[in-house]
């Protein structure tokens, strides 16, 4: 609320709007859909699909043996996530926060990639302002997420997907 941060806040809102519009262009059955992006109350918002289901973390952590994922289910999730991430990358974006809690399994058993809050345009990712925006999840994040100014690219997203796969198969966080 401080006027001295008004310029930074405005830049953050503009960046959010630009990236939200980029994310809204992604049309894939395994990526949450963005229906509307707007500014109100001096901030910005995205209106997303409501997905009925559970996140992959809840399924992995469930003590009920009937909730365990079969090898075929894990393979199907990974194949669909790879296809979804490919679309993200072909649109010059990085998700940067793929993990079991950001993959929902809907009521039909389909995996849906959510939470693009850490997504960044790869071209803009090199800017000094964005270097301070780091999302780190211990056990999932690659080394470059921990190092200020380190290059992040498509392999960073593949690393976190592999860590998620490891957790889904072993039941243990990497």
């Amino acid at each position: 609320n401080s006027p001295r941060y008004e310029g930074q806040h405005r830049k953050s809102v503009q960046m959010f709007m630009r990236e939200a519009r980029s994310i809204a262009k992604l049309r894939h059955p395994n990526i949450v859909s963005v229906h509307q992006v707007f500014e109100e109350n001096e901030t910005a918002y995205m209106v997303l699909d409501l997905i009925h289901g559970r996140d992959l973390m809840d399924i992995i952590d469930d003590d009920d043996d009937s909730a365990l994922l079969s090898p075929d289910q894990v393979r199907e999730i990974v194949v669909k996530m790879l296809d979804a991430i490919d679309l993200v990358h072909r649109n010059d974006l990085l998700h940067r926060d793929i993990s079991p809690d950001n993959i929902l399994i809907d009521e039909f058993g389909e995996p849906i990639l959510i939470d693009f809050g850490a997504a960044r345009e790869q071209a803009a990712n090199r800017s000094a302002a964005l270097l301070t925006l780091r999302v780190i999840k211990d056990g999932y994040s690659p080394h470059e997420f921990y190092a200020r100014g380190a290059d992040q690219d498509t392999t960073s997203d593949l690393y976190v997907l592999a860590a998620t796969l490891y957790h889904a198969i072993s039941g243990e966080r990497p």
Side-chain angles (χ1 to χ4, degrees):
N1 290 333
S2 172
R4 77 181 219 207
Y5 295 111
E6 186 176 334
Q8 285 177 287
H9 175 73
R10 189 72 217 137
K11 285 180 184 176
S12 294
V13 168
Q14 289 170 347
M15 183 175 66
F16 176 89
M17 290 295 292
R18 184 181 68 246
E19 293 175 352
R21 287 183 182 113
S22 294
I23 295 163
K25 293 176 187 174
L26 300 176
R27 296 285 180 232
H28 191 281
N30 302 106
I31 296 176
V32 67
S33 292
V34 177
H35 296 282
Q36 190 176 11
V37 178
F38 62 95
E39 290 184 62
E40 192 69 44
N41 303 316
E42 298 180 28
T43 191
Y45 301 88
M46 280 191 291
V47 179
L48 307 170
D49 279 341
L50 173 62
I51 309 293
H52 296 280
R54 300 170 63 192
D55 68 44
L56 188 56
M57 181 71 83
D58 285 343
I59 294 169
I60 293 167
D61 288 345
D62 196 328
D63 289 333
D64 180 6
D65 286 341
S66 67
L68 293 176
L69 297 168
S70 71
D72 286 341
Q73 288 172 308
V74 172
R75 183 184 52 76
E76 185 174 330
I77 289 168
V78 171
V79 168
K80 289 179 178 184
M81 286 298 97
L82 283 170
D83 192 54
I85 294 165
D86 179 54
L87 178 64
V88 171
H89 293 167
R90 282 188 282 122
N91 280 273
D92 202 29
L93 293 168
L94 296 175
H95 186 282
R96 300 176 66 231
D97 194 16
I98 301 163
S99 60
D101 55 328
N102 287 334
I103 298 173
L104 294 181
I105 307 300
D106 73 10
E107 60 194 335
F108 306 108
E110 287 295 314
I112 310 292
L113 184 60
I114 64 165
D115 196 354
F116 281 77
R120 295 288 174 258
E121 294 180 33
Q122 290 185 60
N125 194 42
R126 309 283 187 251
S127 76
L130 288 177
L131 293 178
T132 61
L133 298 173
R134 296 183 291 164
V135 173
I136 298 172
K137 287 189 180 172
D138 283 336
Y140 297 99
S141 297
H143 174 74
E144 59 268 22
F145 283 19
Y146 293 88
R148 186 181 206 63
D151 286 342
Q152 298 175 16
D153 61 23
T154 56
T155 61
S156 304
D157 277 348
L158 294 177
Y159 181 97
V160 291
L161 180 62
T164 297
L165 172 62
Y166 175 88
H167 194 170
I169 291 171
S170 72
E172 300 290 324
R173 170 176 272 205

